[in-house]
């Protein structure tokens, strides 16, 4: 699994993550607020964004969905209960659902708190990684 963290440079201190299968170059964009930076990073590396995952429905996480989807035809995924708050959502996720990015498997976790429709993705890779919105927890990085 390749993970590229992209700093949006905004006052909200947001990050975008591209999770990529190293075998096929398929990519998942997580919370792609700054769609220009997100698309540029994928293009520069020869990756194809096929899915967008929103950790929750706030504007600073879903704001780039439309342009990324228009440029890539990516499917939008989020917590099942966010369907009325995230435009053009294609798939609602429940706890335990999996998201495939090429050969990379991510497991959805239902994590209410910041919003009641908050979701995280867990990779059981070595080292494991948790994508929780704005930050990445990587067990091997001493976080």
């Amino acid at each position: 699994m390749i993970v590229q963290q992209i700093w949006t440079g905004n006052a909200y201190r947001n990050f975008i993550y591209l999770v990529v299968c190293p075998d096929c170059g398929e990519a998942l964009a997580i919370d792609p607020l700054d769609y220009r930076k997100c698309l540029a990073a994928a293009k520069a590396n020869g990756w194809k964004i096929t899915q967008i995952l929103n950790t929750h429905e706030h504007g600073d996480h879903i704001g780039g969905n439309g342009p990324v989807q228009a440029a890539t035809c990516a499917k939008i995924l989020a917590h099942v209960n966010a369907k009325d708050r995230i435009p053009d959502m294609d798939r609602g996720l429940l706890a335990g659902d999996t998201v495939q990015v090429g050969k990379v498997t991510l497991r959805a976790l239902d994590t209410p708190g910041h919003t009641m429709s908050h979701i995280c993705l867990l990779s059981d890779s070595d080292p494991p990684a948790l994508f929780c919105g704005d930050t990445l927890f990587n067990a091997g990085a001493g976080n």
Side-chain angles (χ1 to χ4, degrees), residues 2 11 22 24 28-29 34 41 53 61 64 75 77 80 84 94-95 101-102 105 115 119-120 122 132-133 135 137 140:
I2 299 168
C24 68
L28 167 74
D34 189 329
L53 183 282
H61 291 258
K75 302 292 184 193
L77 293 66
V80 68
D84 294 330
L94 295 167
V101 184
T105 302
T115 72
I119 200 156
C120 295
L122 177 65
C132 55
T135 59
F137 178 78

Side-chain angles (χ1 to χ4, degrees), residues 4-5 16-17 24 39 61 67-68 81 83 105 111 118 125 129:
Q4 181 164 353
Q5 181 185 56
I16 299 164
Y17 292 93
C24 68
L39 292 170
H61 291 258
V68 172
N81 292 334
K83 66 180 170 30
T105 302
T111 53
H118 197 280
S125 61

Side-chain angles (χ1 to χ4, degrees), residues 12 14 33 56-65 85:
Y12 300 109
N14 293 83
L33 174 63
H56 62 287
E57 68 275 10
H58 287 162
D60 62 322
H61 291 258
I62 69 170
N65 285 4
R85 293 181 293 269

Side-chain angles (χ1 to χ4, degrees), residues 10 25-26 31 37 40 63 74-75 77 85 92 94 104 109-110 132:
N10 68 9
E26 182 178 329
D31 295 335
K37 288 182 180 178
K75 302 292 184 193
L77 293 66
R85 293 181 293 269
L94 295 167
V104 175
L109 306 175
D110 188 0
C132 55

Side-chain angles (χ1 to χ4, degrees), residues 34-92:
D34 189 329
Y35 63 90
R36 289 179 186 95
K37 288 182 180 178
C38 182
L39 292 170
K43 182 177 180 180
N45 289 288
W47 300 330
K48 179 176 174 39
I49 297 172
T50 59
Q51 299 174 88
I52 298 164
L53 183 282
N54 294 129
T55 56
H56 62 287
E57 68 275 10
H58 287 162
D60 62 322
H61 291 258
I62 69 170
N65 285 4
V68 172
Q69 188 178 44
T72 65
C73 297
K75 302 292 184 193
I76 299 175
L77 293 66
H79 192 286
V80 68
N81 292 334
K83 66 180 170 30
D84 294 330
R85 293 181 293 269
I86 297 178
D88 301 316
M89 195 172 108
D90 295 292
R91 180 178 172 206

